Amino acid sequence: MESLNRQVLAARPDGTASDAAAEADTKGPRPAVVLSCLGAPEGDLSLVRSLGEQGVPVILLSEYADPPAAASRHCRAFVHLPAFTQQPQRLLQALRQVRAALGRAPVLFASADPDLVALCAIRAALGDTARVALPPDALVRRLTDKAQFDVLAVEADLPVPRSLPLGEPDSGRLRPDWRQRAAQLAYPLVAKPASPEAWQGAAVPEAFHRLKAQRLDQAADLERLCAQLPAPAWAATLLQEYVPGGDEEHFGVHACLDADGRVLATSVTRNWRVYPAYAGGGCCMESVDEPALEALGLAVLAKVGFRGGIANMDFKRHARSGAFKLLEINPRISQAHILSTRAGVNLPWLAWRDACGLPPLPAPARRIGLRYINEFDDLLAMRTYRRDGLWPWSRWLAQQLGGPVVYQLCQWRDPRPAWTELAKWLPGHPGRRRQAAWRRAADGVQAAQAAQADLPVLDARQLDALRALAGGGT
């Protein structure tokens, strides 16, 4: 904490203390609010730890009633706000109450795409309610909606695979000429949701709920997919040419830029396994040194005019040509960002400093070869990889024992998130249990609870916890 205050109180180049530094001298570091939507329970914990370890008081605002991040020693206050991504005005009301209790505007962080969509809906009305470490709204919307991103990629001449929509945007039904349109692309293809909500809800088969994409090797596979996905889902589903290569050819380029577009720090990670296998998020990753890819990622951000926040870019290396193809740009941290933090590149903290008006720090030294494992998801993914002969248990064990590893949940200095999550998983099958919880929420159970507008957004106990932070006791 003392080291943070020394850095917070750093002087401007002209020798005068910044306004943020003077404020921190009397009130302590400005609190941060981390948003935690349903279906993304890893990114919020990475944010809470990355910020809290630097002495930033963290308030977790979650759609979950008991997310693992709320048990972290770095979570100073917890607010349960059901369905705020479905009712952004309720989020705005809660943030105004947080602002009033703290006596100053916190720095706001999104941990997943639904958080970003909700923030864009209320950003114009935020005023002095919160400081948001995000690019302009128009760019955020184009990046989070894959259909809009496809148009942006063509305009900016980005190195992306060819893609096109098959559904009608208004009705959501397949276009009458969808077979002819699909024939313009070369198999194998992947179908992917344009937004996280596109493949959610009761009408969509459960097998699609956690998929980031579905591989289609031939026209018959596309025919089956068209029979499985209901009409509304096709309004936000894209068809894209598949980039040859296994899951280990996926790389992430992570960067933090200030409001003027200056690069504050970068890191590069490589996936070894993903969950669900072949179509999910990284559950086993490694920090790597890829200067050419890093330069390509920064060139991409310059082309789209990215500034004022964190970018997380997903690239895949073509197995035959070796060329990197851009799959997506997310204006937020990755779900596994704790790997970059442990590797020396704490992007959330740098974004918090920039939002507080503090001077940039020297470029951090990066630790290469550090691995990350999401304990539960990696074990679930291994069932598929082992079945397909890609990862025998002996190879998996050698990787676990072969060097330093960062675990998503299990950390000796912050053990409670792991214990609380383990307690939920023991009574039943972990993957099925967690999927069922997300599905029930997506179907509107929490939305109905949140619809009771006569109830206060924050209760007295939550407000008391926030007022305790306002005194600066961190």
Side-chain angles (χ1 to χ4, degrees), residues 87-130:
Q87 299 181 341
Q89 290 302 314
R90 191 169 173 82
L91 172 61
L92 178 61
Q93 183 182 356
L95 292 173
R96 285 172 174 167
Q97 287 186 272
V98 171
R99 167 68 170 86
L102 293 175
R104 54 180 168 167
V107 181
L108 196 54
F109 287 89
S111 60
D113 286 353
D115 300 329
L116 292 169
V117 174
L119 276 181
C120 285
I122 63 171
R123 190 171 180 181
L126 279 177
D128 188 41
T129 299

Side-chain angles (χ1 to χ4, degrees), residues 260-295:
D260 296 321
R262 290 186 295 260
V263 179
L264 301 178
T266 58
S267 68
V268 182
T269 58
R270 181 180 187 176
N271 285 0
W272 288 108
R273 292 182 294 277
V274 303
Y275 178 73
Y278 314 130
C283 58
C284 178
M285 306 166 66
E286 183 176 355
S287 60
V288 295
D289 184 26
E290 289 281 347
L293 175 58
E294 185 178 341

